[in-house]
Amino acid sequence: MRIDIITAVPELLESPLGHSIVKRAKDKGLVELVIHNLRDYSTNNYRQIDDAPYGGTSGMVLMIEPIDKCISQLKNERDYDEIIYMTPDGETLNQQQANKMSLFTNIIILAGHYKGIDERVRELHITKEISIGDYVLSGGELGAAVLTDSIVRLIPGVLGDETSALSDSFQDQLLAPPVYTRPAEYKGLVVPEVLRSGNFPKIDNWLQEQALLRTKARRPDLLDE
Ligand code: ADE
């Protein structure tokens, strides 16, 4: 899978996407991440990418030309499954969407900044708009990193243990059960006996029961869906 991320602040993406599982996926050749600095696509000598909004409202708006130039160039090179714009007024990201997108071949993620992007970019290129939650970030970069991470870890072969993404919270509309590691006892807190019993059918039942109890207590809305 190839993910092209377009941003005015590439530095904000380098660290979140340069470590851990995403790095492993890149090293294994399972994902190609290409970060594009919007300033490289500026159409004037000042590397300008933003301008004041029409109508006299406050803040700055990302201009259409650099974004169009970058996306058009990418679209000429290959076909894209989706061209996604990160925005608080998009559809809220969930695990089902991440699952679906992990099967795509090529996507573009556009991170906005300042007051937003010229509305005409949406009409011209954007096929999907995603929010990572009902709060406003300073830019779409952290959202783009969240979206990329949620997708990349689901690409087949990325996680060593193939079952481990399947047991994540939300994967079957249930929160994940509690997990423990050594020592078996710490400051009087003990690991549940069943997990140390070696009886795997019993352990499996216990884990399912705990997932259900936790979901009922914390996110009953998931069970209604
Ligand atoms: N850009 C600013 N706020 C955002 C949010 N909540 N989700 C995605 N992109 C954003």
Side-chain angles (χ1 to χ4, degrees), residues 86-88 130-133 135-140 143:
M86 301 308 301
T87 172
I130 293 182
S131 162
I132 62 161
Y135 40 82
V136 179
L137 301 165
S138 313

Side-chain angles (χ1 to χ4, degrees), residues 169-222:
S169 279
F170 303 111
Q171 206 52 267
D172 47 9
Q173 294 296 95
L174 288 178
L175 299 181
V179 291
Y180 299 88
T181 186
R182 281 178 287 196
E185 183 179 345
Y186 185 72
K187 294 189 174 175
L189 299 166
V190 291
V191 174
E193 215 284 318
V194 56
L195 293 178
R196 292 177 283 141
S197 69
N199 181 337
F200 293 104
K202 212 168 131 193
I203 292 174
D204 235 32
N205 273 340
W206 185 86
L207 290 171
Q208 279 182 33
E209 188 183 277
Q210 290 297 313
L212 193 59
L213 284 174
R214 187 160 278 197
T215 311
K216 271 187 186 156
R218 298 182 182 200
R219 291 292 305 276
D221 57 299
L222 294 175

Side-chain angles (χ1 to χ4, degrees), residues 3-222:
I3 304 178
D4 289 276
I5 306 179
I6 304 169
T7 169
V9 197
E11 297 80 5
L12 279 173
L13 287 157
E14 277 154 18
S15 178
L17 300 179
H19 302 276
S20 184
I21 307 270
V22 178
K23 179 177 188 300
R24 201 198 301 168
K26 285 194 284 191
D27 291 347
K28 281 186 180 173
L30 294 168
V31 70
E32 188 182 355
L33 282 185
V34 188
I35 297 174
H36 304 270
N37 185 344
L38 206 47
R39 282 192 198 281
D40 295 339
Y41 298 85
S42 169
T43 51
N44 70 30
N45 290 336
Y46 313 101
R47 287 174 51 91
Q48 186 188 1
I49 52 168
D50 61 331
D51 207 341
Y54 276 110
T57 47
S58 66
M60 296 293 269
V61 174
L62 287 176
M63 300 158 76
I64 189 166
E65 292 103 322
I67 300 175
D68 177 39
K69 197 170 150 193
C70 180
I71 295 179
S72 296
Q73 198 169 304
L74 291 170
K75 277 166 116 176
N76 276 338
E77 290 165 7
R78 66 193 65 75
D79 291 331
Y80 284 92
D81 296 286
E82 295 280 13
I83 300 177
I84 301 163
Y85 173 47
M86 301 308 301
T87 172
D89 56 20
E91 222 180 303
T92 310
L93 179 63
N94 60 31
Q95 192 65 30
Q96 280 73 33
Q97 290 187 50
N99 285 336
K100 216 168 114 192
M101 287 185 266
S102 71
L103 302 173
F104 287 160
T105 310
N106 300 309
I107 59 172
I108 293 175
I109 304 174
L110 171 64
H113 221 81
Y114 314 106
K115 268 287 166 202
I117 57 171
D118 189 307
E119 187 67 19
R120 293 166 293 181
V121 172
R122 291 169 144 171
E123 291 166 37
L124 201 56
H125 291 299
I126 301 301
T127 61
K128 195 175 185 63
E129 306 198 348
I130 293 182
S131 162
I132 62 161
D134 287 343
Y135 40 82
V136 179
L137 301 165
S138 313
E141 285 77 12
L142 297 179
V146 167
L147 175 61
T148 303
D149 186 289
S150 75
I151 293 172
V152 168
R153 61 196 303 287
L154 295 170
I155 296 172
V158 168
L159 294 181
D161 172 0
E162 282 300 21
T163 59
S164 96
L166 297 177
S167 59
D168 283 347
S169 279
F170 303 111
Q171 206 52 267
D172 47 9
Q173 294 296 95
L174 288 178
L175 299 181
V179 291
Y180 299 88
T181 186
R182 281 178 287 196
E185 183 179 345
Y186 185 72
K187 294 189 174 175
L189 299 166
V190 291
V191 174
E193 215 284 318
V194 56
L195 293 178
R196 292 177 283 141
S197 69
N199 181 337
F200 293 104
K202 212 168 131 193
I203 292 174
D204 235 32
N205 273 340
W206 185 86
L207 290 171
Q208 279 182 33
E209 188 183 277
Q210 290 297 313
L212 193 59
L213 284 174
R214 187 160 278 197
T215 311
K216 271 187 186 156
R218 298 182 182 200
R219 291 292 305 276
D221 57 299
L222 294 175

